[in-house]
Amino acid sequence: GQVQIFKDEVPWALNVGDTVNPRQEIMTGADGYAKIQVPDGSVFEVFPNSRATFRSNQGNLRELLDLWVGRVKVHIEKLNGKPNPNRIHTPSAVISVRGTTFDVTVEPDEMTLVVVEEGQVAVQHALMPYSEAKILNGGDYLRVYKNQPLAQKQFDKGGALQRMLKVMADVWLNT
């Protein structure tokens, strides 16, 4: 499908095996899908109709991705069995991870949905950083709204199962 990166604000088609450099924006079309592996073995998948910037803060390797709209699935590898701190930024949330698998979706209204498949993440409000971070474990999810403080984490086995099946279908259809 259609996947582009921007070099000097000019769109370039991304092909299998191409390199994505820090501060490059990745954009997928309606049928686009990209799977990107970083040097530590961690992987993130960018699903259709998404826009993200890889390592926008080039000086900080913990800043993995800025997701502006759309959906990504992230799998952070542990380093020698130890935590591997990384952060994902969205317009309304900052998600801190140490070695886990999780989904992040940003809606056009900048609402962020974080769904943890396994491991643990800490979610903090990007626009209200004074609030305490919420810790999510496997099966937990949290919606972060642009103009509202963080709610309590939520767990919904039925909803989690539905999302997991959707993720599996996305992966199967895009491989």
Side-chain angles (χ1 to χ4, degrees):
Q2 182 183 11
V3 180
Q4 298 175 328
I5 58 171
F6 289 84
K7 296 179 183 179
D8 298 322
E9 299 183 28
V10 176
W12 291 77
L14 190 63
N15 297 297
V16 174
D18 284 353
T19 300
V20 177
N21 294 315
R23 299 178 57 175
Q24 283 187 320
E25 187 174 319
I26 304 160
M27 193 163 84
T28 56
D31 63 348
Y33 168 83
K35 186 172 187 176
I36 299 169
Q37 183 170 3
V38 295
D40 68 9
S42 298
V43 174
F44 64 91
E45 298 172 79
V46 184
F47 290 91
N49 297 316
S50 297
R51 189 171 63 96
T53 304
F54 176 61
R55 296 210 192 279
S56 64
N57 183 353
Q58 194 170 351
N60 186 345
L61 294 179
R62 293 180 180 191
E63 305 291 333
L64 180 65
L65 197 65
D66 290 0
L67 178 63
W68 304 106
V69 70
R71 179 173 157 245
V72 295
K73 180 175 184 171
V74 181
H75 177 77
I76 301 296
E77 286 291 329
K78 291 188 178 194
L79 295 176
N80 299 322
K82 298 189 180 193
N84 180 4
N86 278 274
R87 280 192 289 264
I88 311 297
H89 290 263
T90 74
S92 58
V94 178
I95 302 107
S96 300
V97 299
R98 304 226 182 283
T100 189
T101 302
F102 62 100
D103 259 57
V104 180
T105 304
V106 177
E107 299 292 334
D109 65 358
E110 298 182 350
M111 183 280 297
T112 299
L113 173 64
V114 180
V115 180
V116 180
E117 188 174 311
E118 64 180 43
Q120 186 177 74
V121 302
V123 180
Q124 193 160 12
H125 202 293
L127 303 173
M128 300 175 190
Y130 55 84
S131 63
E132 189 174 318
K134 302 294 180 188
I135 305 298
L136 306 180
N137 297 297
D140 290 344
Y141 71 93
L142 181 68
R143 292 182 196 281
V144 181
Y145 297 94
K146 186 176 175 181
N147 298 319
Q148 295 178 19
L150 292 180
Q152 292 297 318
K153 66 183 178 185
Q154 300 169 326
F155 180 78
D156 172 13
K157 288 183 181 177
L161 178 60
Q162 286 178 337
R163 283 187 301 285
M164 196 70 82
L165 291 172
K166 182 182 182 327
V167 168
M168 290 171 47
D170 286 344
V171 170
W172 184 73
L173 292 173
N174 291 306
T175 54

